[in-house]
Each structure stands twice: as structure tokens, then as C-alpha cells.
């Protein structure tokens, strides 16, 4: 982009920022003006011979977005707890990306991508039924969230926090099922019990009956069916099939 490459964060600069190639790690941290990286020594030009591969060097192995968001903070916390040296317990929070105390790293190894062009990509083996059910669950959660955003003022506090907890459980439950985790039934049951309790306690779904008089009956039916479908996956399908990890190449087609 000509002279703009020296001033703003261009697509090329941002590709470098998101790449896990050793040449690109912890580079181009600026959000708008790239001259900040040049000033602080974190600038890296995109190299024609080094194709940027996006991701993180310690990739997530789950579909659960809640685990994804907190897994690195959890790993830091565990490493700080396990480190023998008090110096390591403190400095782990200020060290560069990927640093771990030597004793912890040796005793508790963590999978890390070494070859960015050839690595194992997480992908659970799922039936068409599970794919279809996952789409149904995602769509239902989207409807719940849309109703929350559209009626937040009338729902009010503290009900919006109860509603938020329900959405949290919903997302956690169906993504655990996508991971083929047997505890998905526990989370799904908790979500559905909470949903039925909300309808019983409020005698409504946060005022939704003013739009659809029969909505509470539909939701209770959904909660019951969702529990049974999840149980069916856990006790029948998952016992017959094995979770698999496929190896994929990050190299472009040539």
C-alpha cells in the first residue's frame, strides 16, 4: 500500500500479527499506527518466502468458547502454582508469550505446534445427527440471545443475570456435546432444569407470553427433548463411535 505501509497497520502487517511462524511471533502489535512497533522494536515486515499461518502455538482442542477464552489464563495459574521457585511464580505473569518455568515444562508438558506447515488440527468425528442437533442448538441459543437483547430493559435486573447464566449454560452444554464429552449431559440437564425453573418461578419466559401465549409450553417441551437427545448421544452413539483427530496440512495448494 505504498507509503501507508510505513504509517498505518495494513492487511500485510496484520497478517504478520496473527501468524504463528517463528519469524512473526509477538510482532506488529499496533492497532492503528504501525510506527509504534517500529519505535519499540516489534515491527516485522511480511516476508515473501514465509507464508503466514494463522493461529496460536498452543492450539485449543475444544469447541467450547468458554474454555477457549480462559484456558491460557488457567494454564498460567496452574504453572504458577506448580513452579517451585517463588521467582518463577511471580515472573511467569510478565514473561514473553509461551514462556514456562523449566521444572514445570518438564514435568507437565503441553502440546505445542513445532512445524507450522504440518500439524494436527482438532476435528471431532461426528454423525449427521450430531451435526444437525448442534445446528439446532446454536439456532435456539441465537433466538434466546436475540430476545434478551431486544427486551433487556423490560427484563431488568437481576433477571438479566439469570438470563445470562442460562445462555452461558446453553453454550457450554452443546459445545461440550460437540467435544463428545460425557459431562455434556450434566451441563445440559442443569441448563434445562434452570429453564423450567425460570418458567415456573416467573410463570412466563421473561415476558415472552405477551408475544406468544403458548411460548412457555414450547420451551418446556424443548428442554425435555434436549435432555433426552443429549442422553441418547452420551449413552448410545458415543459408546459405539470413537472421537478422532485428523492430520491436516496448512500448506497452500501448489
Amino acid at each position: 500500500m505504498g507509503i501507508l505501509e510505513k504509517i498505518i497497520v495494513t492487511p500485510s502487517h496484520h497478517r504478520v500479527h496473527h501468524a504463528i511462524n517463528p519469524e512473526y511471533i509477538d510482532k506488529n502489535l499496533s492497532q492503528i499506527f504501525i510506527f509504534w512497533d517500529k519505535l519499540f522494536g516489534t515491527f516485522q515486515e511480511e516476508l515473501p518466502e514465509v507464508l503466514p499461518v494463522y493461529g496460536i502455538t498452543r492450539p485449543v482442542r475444544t469447541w467450547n468458547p468458554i474454555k477457549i477464552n480462559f484456558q491460557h489464563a488457567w494454564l498460567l495459574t496452574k504453572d504458577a502454582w506448580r513452579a517451585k521457585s517463588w521467582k518463577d511464580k511471580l515472573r511467569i505473569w510478565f514473561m514473553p508469550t509461551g514462556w514456562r518455568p523449566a521444572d514445570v515444562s518438564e514435568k507437565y508438558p503441553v502440546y505445542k505446534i513445532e512445524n507450522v506447515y504440518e500439524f494436527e488440527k482438532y476435528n471431532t468425528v461426528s454423525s449427521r445427527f450430531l451435526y444437525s442437533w448442534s445446528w439446532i442448538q446454536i439456532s435456539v441459543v441465537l433466538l434466546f440471545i436475540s430476545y434478551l437483547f431486544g427486551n433487556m430493559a423490560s427484563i431488568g435486573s437481576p433477571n438479566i443475570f439469570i438470563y445470562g447464566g442460562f445462555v452461558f449454560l446453553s453454550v457450554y452444554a452443546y459445545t461440550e456435546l460437540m467435544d463428545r464429552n460425557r459431562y455434556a449431559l450434566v451441563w445440559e440437564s442443569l441448563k434445562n432444569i434452570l429453564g423450567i425453573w425460570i418458567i415456573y418461578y416467573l410463570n412466563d419466559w421473561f415476558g415472552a407470553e405477551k408475544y406468544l401465549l403458548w411460548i412457555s409450553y414450547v420451551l418446556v417441551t424443548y428442554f425435555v427433548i434436549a435432555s433426552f437427545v443429549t442422553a441418547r448421544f452420551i449413552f448410545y452413539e458415543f459408546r459405539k463411535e470413537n472421537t478422532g483427530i485428523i492430520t491436516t496440512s496448512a500448506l497452500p495448494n501448489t
Side-chain angles (χ1 to χ4, degrees):
M1 297 183 69
I3 189 65
L4 291 179
E5 296 283 345
K6 301 181 182 297
I7 303 173
I8 66 171
V9 176
T10 64
S12 177
H13 297 330
H14 205 56
R15 283 195 293 271
V16 169
H17 169 72
H18 281 288
I20 59 175
N21 310 62
E23 298 87 347
Y24 298 150
I25 290 289
D26 289 342
K27 301 296 183 181
N28 298 359
L29 306 176
S30 299
Q31 295 295 304
I32 299 175
F33 297 111
I34 197 62
F35 55 69
W36 293 115
D37 283 289
K38 294 185 176 183
L39 179 64
F40 289 102
T42 53
F43 173 73
Q44 174 60 56
E45 184 180 10
E46 184 177 7
L47 304 173
E49 69 277 10
V50 182
L51 177 72
V53 177
Y54 303 149
I56 53 178
T57 57
R58 293 194 296 237
V60 298
R61 289 174 174 251
T62 177
W63 300 115
N64 190 322
I66 296 155
K67 287 183 176 179
I68 290 171
N69 275 279
F70 291 99
Q71 72 166 12
H72 295 290
W74 178 237
L75 179 61
L76 284 172
T77 302
K78 290 192 296 183
D79 283 355
W81 175 262
R82 291 165 172 171
K84 294 180 180 179
S85 168
W86 278 98
K87 180 180 179 181
D88 287 342
K89 289 178 181 292
L90 295 175
R91 69 172 178 158
I92 191 174
W93 303 100
F94 304 97
M95 295 299 286
T97 303
W99 184 89
R100 303 181 74 203
D103 57 329
V104 176
S105 180
E106 180 179 358
K107 189 174 182 181
Y108 303 98
V110 175
Y111 171 72
K112 186 176 181 180
I113 294 175
E114 301 296 340
N115 181 355
V116 300
Y117 296 113
E118 192 72 34
F119 57 89
E120 289 185 343
K121 184 177 180 181
Y122 184 78
N123 189 20
T124 49
V125 177
S126 301
S127 65
R128 289 184 179 179
F129 184 23
L130 181 54
Y131 276 125
S132 300
W133 179 247
S134 298
W135 274 108
I136 290 172
Q137 290 283 64
I138 292 170
S139 300
V140 170
V141 169
L142 179 60
L143 291 174
F144 277 124
I145 294 174
S146 298
Y147 181 79
L148 172 62
F149 287 167
N151 298 272
M152 192 170 292
S154 60
I155 292 174
S157 181
N159 284 346
I160 56 172
F161 299 104
I162 298 174
Y163 204 128
F166 171 82
V167 171
F168 179 98
L169 283 173
S170 299
V171 174
Y172 203 99
Y174 78 72
T175 51
E176 285 292 276
L177 187 66
M178 291 168 63
D179 282 336
R180 304 172 72 87
N181 188 333
R182 67 182 184 275
Y183 291 109
L185 181 58
V186 175
W187 295 105
E188 184 69 30
S189 299
L190 287 174
K191 180 262 287 188
N192 294 327
I193 290 171
L194 175 60
I196 293 173
W197 176 84
I198 290 171
I199 293 174
Y200 172 79
Y201 181 74
L202 299 178
N203 199 29
D204 193 357
W205 183 261
F206 299 99
E209 287 192 1
K210 67 183 177 183
Y211 303 108
L212 295 171
L213 291 176
W214 39 264
I215 189 63
S216 294
Y217 297 102
V218 172
L219 290 178
V220 170
T221 302
Y222 159 72
F223 294 142
V224 173
I225 292 175
S227 296
F228 279 105
V229 171
T230 302
R232 186 263 183 194
F233 282 117
I234 300 298
F235 296 116
Y236 177 71
E237 182 172 315
F238 292 177
R239 286 187 175 183
K240 296 180 65 175
E241 301 176 358
N242 295 321
T243 301
I245 303 295
I246 63 172
T247 300
T248 61
S249 174
L251 282 171
N253 294 326
T254 57

